[in-house]
Amino acid sequence: MLPLRLVIDTNVLISAALKPAGLQRTVLLLATTKPARLYVSRPILEEYSDVLARPELQIRKGLRLQLMQLLKSRSYAVAPGRRLEVTSDPDDNMFLECADAARADYLITGNQKHFPKFWKKTKVITSREFIDLAAPHLIR
């Protein structure tokens, strides 16, 4: 089986941190386990870290550190070669830039309205759509 090349939006990571039994936690675990390959860029890792540390989210420091360690050890770093201005929220362009550099199959997000349905060969999907695709037996 060929590995799925993935990029995950910050909102999926935050949901995974806040809801241990939620769908997004399953997405994160699948994305960081072979045959999947999770791709990140330096700006994405910085945003992940910054948002996880927001006081209003009340995410324990130990959990934040565990998640960041998991992401750093189980993801593949890319350095996007060009800036994009495609999304309705300019802060979200970094995810398409990463997907572009990684030649990602899927960008998983909870904010589909911010993104085009496709960017080149990357399809923008929800967490549920990813689970339906990668591990449908988990939600039946």
Side-chain angles (χ1 to χ4, degrees):
M1 176 179 202
L2 291 174
L4 287 176
R5 301 167 79 86
L6 309 170
V7 175
I8 292 181
D9 193 352
T10 308
N11 56 62
V12 175
L13 175 66
I14 297 306
S15 292
L18 294 173
K19 300 177 199 161
L23 200 60
Q24 289 78 15
R25 179 73 62 100
T26 302
V27 168
L28 180 62
L29 294 174
L30 287 171
T32 55
T33 306
K34 289 182 180 183
R37 286 189 179 176
L38 178 62
Y39 288 86
V40 296
S41 62
R42 178 174 285 138
I44 288 174
L45 284 175
E46 288 171 2
E47 176 166 293
Y48 286 170
S49 182
D50 291 347
V51 176
L52 283 168
R54 287 182 182 167
E56 66 270 20
L57 294 176
Q58 298 180 352
I59 299 170
R60 291 182 351 270
K61 184 178 181 181
L63 177 58
R64 293 193 315 257
L65 294 173
Q66 282 180 327
L67 287 170
M68 290 307 298
Q69 182 59 38
L70 173 73
L71 292 165
K72 289 175 182 174
S73 67
R74 297 264 186 99
S75 64
Y76 297 79
V78 294
R82 63 186 183 116
R83 306 268 308 148
L84 297 173
E85 293 183 21
V86 177
T87 64
S88 61
D89 180 349
D91 291 338
D92 285 334
N93 284 312
M94 73 174 115
F95 297 100
L96 287 180
E97 292 164 1
C98 181
D100 197 25
R103 297 181 326 275
D105 300 304
Y106 298 100
L107 166 57
I108 306 166
T109 182
N111 290 330
Q112 279 187 303
K113 66 183 181 288
H114 291 185
F115 296 93
K117 288 187 188 298
F118 281 91
W119 176 253
K120 298 184 179 180
K121 292 184 178 183
T122 302
K123 184 175 183 181
V124 178
I125 62 174
T126 64
S127 294
R128 180 161 301 283
E129 289 171 318
F130 176 69
I131 297 292
D132 282 343
L133 180 92
H137 60 284
L138 294 178
I139 56 172
R140 298 251 188 263

